[in-house]
Amino acid sequence: MGHVCVTTPPLFQSKLLCLSLLFFLTTLPIALYVSFTHSTCLFRSPPPFPSSVGFSYPLSYSEHKYALPTAHSDCTSSVPFSDYGKVLHEIRNLCWNSTSSPVLRYVEGKGDSFSGNFSARKRKSFFHHNHVDRVAIPCGFLQAFPIKESDRLAMQKCDGVVVVSAIIGDHDKLRQPRGLGSHTIDFVCFFMFIDDATHKVLVAHNILSANEEEVNMVGAWRIVRLRGDQLPYDNPAMNGVIPKYLVQRLFPNSKFSVWLDAKLQLTVDPLLLIHSLLVIPDADMAISNHPFNIHTMEEAIATARWKKWADLESLRVQMETYCENGLQPWSTSKLPYTTDVPDTALILRRHGLKGNLFSCLLFNELAAFNSRDQLAFAYVRDLMVPKIKINMFEFEVFEQVAMEYRHNLKREAREQPIKMASSRDINGSSCEDYLLKMSRIKVASSSR
């Protein structure tokens, strides 16, 4: 009679291997549970984007090239999102039932430039705004802005929430927002401003129609073409600043807005962002902290060092002007603000008197000096009256709600080596007190 010999497979003859497999199978469910229930970076997701509004780009367009890695992955300051349905209902009520509040009057008429070329003294005179007297505030549009009448009417009809972006000079890819709720596309307006150079590329890839009479929709975005020969500024960045900071004028009936630099792809529903970062903290504006710089002068030095604005003399004049007119380095007296330097790629606004006034005042500074909006931010924020309430959230939160990409890589002429600028290059005697205070603060912080 034969015998059946049963042997243990060689794979399981090692006790160490068996114990390792047992440990893995036991701890895997626990690890998954902890990861998905206690992670500080886990945000509640809205219902999926309706498939009927989806959009596919041709492979030649490569809209997802040049993604940047996330530098701060721990996300120690995450923001919880409320239920999508509750948020949608609450923001609808805020938009539809908003009471009329004091509004700004704007300087109208024709000027010698789009912004009016006001002196530093004249610009500062508008910082203290008594809305009772309703003094007219300069806020651009003293020359024409080239928008078709059909687009202008569509912008006026946007009476709730608007998401705005701009691609000038084919500098970025046109990317679709992700994570939109099932009703968001019907309630939120998405407008993308482009110039002739960007339009030409999108037409070449069959993303846009060459027919001027058609309403160009690309996925969620309504495309607004700006005629290049009619743009008010020679500097492309300044033309992009117009929809960035004068959104309240382009969309006069909107109650909330989200500005999105074209290098970003939104990955969270804008209604959830507005609710968590504006509505709950009852803020006029929400913007993230800069990941590295705290003081305005630090940002000015970085601007010169990395040639983000090559004219060192104009930077020096700008810093002198701000020092002479009351700009102070960041200190604990400015709390709850933990920095004077924001990252302005994502800006959320409640359209009201204080938020609109801040945007106008900041735009006037950019028109006077340069498009580097971080340099004028603290100057306007700290000195304007009435005070604006800004929710300056942590940069880690910014990285969790948007994907950042490099700008389109283009071959450019070789330039002179970058000069490593220092504070001596961009400040004058009027900034000596600022620099002394800043150095004391930095020494005190490092000694803790």
Side-chain angles (χ1 to χ4, degrees):
M1 186 174 183
H3 297 278
V4 177
C5 181
V6 179
T7 61
T8 305
L11 180 64
F12 294 101
Q13 289 180 3
S14 170
K15 291 183 180 180
L16 181 60
L17 179 60
C18 289
L19 289 173
S20 299
L21 287 172
L22 179 63
F23 178 80
F24 174 76
L25 293 173
T26 303
T27 57
L28 179 61
I30 298 174
L32 290 174
Y33 174 80
V34 171
S35 298
F36 286 98
T37 57
H38 293 87
S39 170
T40 57
C41 284
L42 184 66
F43 298 97
R44 183 189 297 273
S45 298
F49 185 93
S51 58
S52 60
V53 193
F55 182 84
S56 296
Y57 291 96
L59 293 177
S60 61
Y61 189 61
S62 304
E63 79 274 17
H64 291 300
K65 272 190 175 182
Y66 317 131
L68 292 175
T70 299
H72 303 272
S73 58
D74 55 347
C75 193
T76 56
S77 303
S78 64
V79 174
F81 294 143
S82 302
D83 177 74
Y84 173 76
K86 174 186 174 183
V87 168
L88 178 65
H89 177 73
E90 186 170 345
I91 293 182
R92 273 178 171 168
N93 285 339
L94 286 172
C95 292
W96 293 343
N97 301 324
S98 60
T99 57
S100 58
S101 57
V103 295
L104 291 178
R105 287 182 56 233
Y106 301 117
V107 173
E108 303 287 353
K110 297 293 183 181
D112 54 357
S113 70
F114 183 81
S115 56
N117 291 333
F118 294 92
S119 67
R121 183 176 180 179
K122 185 64 174 178
R123 295 195 309 274
K124 192 182 177 186
S125 70
F126 297 106
F127 276 39
H128 286 247
H129 182 68
N130 182 353
H131 63 79
V132 176
D133 296 336
R134 299 202 59 185
V135 175
I137 301 295
C139 197
F141 295 96
L142 297 179
Q143 288 184 351
F145 192 55
I147 297 177
K148 288 194 308 183
E149 185 62 22
S150 57
D151 289 328
R152 194 183 306 277
L153 292 174
M155 291 155 65
Q156 290 178 353
K157 291 179 181 177
C158 183
D159 57 0
V161 177
V162 59
V163 178
V164 183
S165 190
I167 304 176
I168 306 296
D170 188 37
H171 208 46
D172 297 278
K173 298 292 184 184
L174 175 58
R175 300 180 177 94
Q176 296 301 317
R178 291 164 40 201
L180 300 188
S182 54
H183 298 286
T184 297
I185 202 69
D186 299 320
F187 179 64
V188 178
C189 312
F190 291 83
F191 279 82
M192 175 68 73
F193 293 84
I194 66 171
D195 65 347
D196 289 342
T198 308
H199 180 267
K200 181 179 179 180
V201 172
L202 294 175
V203 169
H205 285 281
N206 293 317
I207 295 173
L208 289 183
S209 168
N211 187 345
E212 296 291 331
E213 301 304 318
E214 289 187 19
V215 175
N216 273 310
M217 297 292 301
V218 180
W221 297 104
R222 175 167 177 148
I223 308 299
V224 177
R225 182 183 178 185
L226 305 174
R227 287 291 185 180
D229 58 347
Q230 300 173 26
L231 287 168
Y233 294 102
D234 294 331
N235 179 6
M238 271 307 301
N239 290 319
V241 159
I242 294 172
K244 184 174 185 177
Y245 281 104
L246 302 186
V247 59
Q248 75 279 8
R249 299 213 61 186
L250 292 169
F251 300 87
N253 298 313
S254 294
K255 308 304 186 299
F256 296 94
S257 66
V258 177
W259 166 263
L260 192 72
D261 273 10
K263 66 180 180 180
L264 300 182
Q265 181 182 32
L266 200 62
T267 58
V268 172
D269 190 287
L271 298 178
L272 297 183
L273 290 177
I274 288 171
H275 187 263
S276 292
L277 300 174
L278 276 182
V279 175
I280 291 179
D282 192 27
D284 302 298
M285 177 181 293
I287 194 169
S288 83
N289 295 338
H290 193 278
F292 306 115
N293 298 327
I294 294 176
H295 303 283
T296 300
M297 189 65 77
E298 289 178 318
E299 181 63 24
I301 294 169
T303 298
R305 175 171 294 171
W306 302 112
K307 299 190 77 172
K308 296 180 179 179
W309 191 261
D311 188 350
L312 295 183
E313 176 61 19
S314 71
L315 288 175
R316 184 189 65 77
V317 172
Q318 182 177 16
M319 289 300 100
E320 279 194 342
T321 300
Y322 291 168
C323 290
E324 290 170 358
N325 284 279
L327 176 66
Q328 296 293 318
W330 181 88
S331 67
T332 54
S333 65
K334 294 190 180 185
L335 291 173
Y337 300 131
T338 57
T339 180
D340 278 353
V341 186
D343 187 301
T344 62
L346 176 67
I347 307 175
L348 293 86
R349 297 183 183 88
R350 184 195 302 264
H351 290 191
L353 185 143
K354 290 181 285 186
N356 293 352
L357 177 62
F358 175 87
S359 296
C360 291
L361 297 177
L362 189 58
F363 175 81
N364 293 337
E365 295 304 313
L366 305 184
F369 291 111
N370 57 69
S371 59
R372 305 302 303 174
D373 48 358
Q374 292 148 313
L375 301 180
F377 178 83
Y379 173 66
V380 175
R381 180 199 67 189
D382 296 346
L383 299 182
M384 69 172 280
V385 177
K387 293 295 183 184
I388 183 174
K389 183 177 180 182
I390 304 179
N391 175 18
M392 297 191 71
F393 53 89
E394 294 300 322
F395 188 75
E396 288 87 348
V397 174
F398 165 82
E399 291 189 315
Q400 298 300 319
V401 301
M403 176 71 73
E404 185 172 357
Y405 294 83
R406 292 183 179 90
H407 299 300
N408 289 344
L409 301 182
K410 297 182 179 182
R411 189 180 300 275
E412 297 179 355
R414 180 182 292 272
E415 298 181 353
Q416 295 297 321
I418 294 175
K419 178 184 178 182
M420 300 303 284
S422 70
S423 58
R424 293 187 300 274
D425 295 313
I426 56 173
N427 75 86
S429 58
S430 58
C431 284
E432 288 180 1
D433 183 59
Y434 179 104
L435 289 167
L436 286 171
K437 289 180 181 178
M438 187 179 81
S439 62
R440 293 193 196 106
I441 292 166
K442 292 171 75 69
V443 169
S445 299
S446 62
S447 64
R448 289 172 187 164

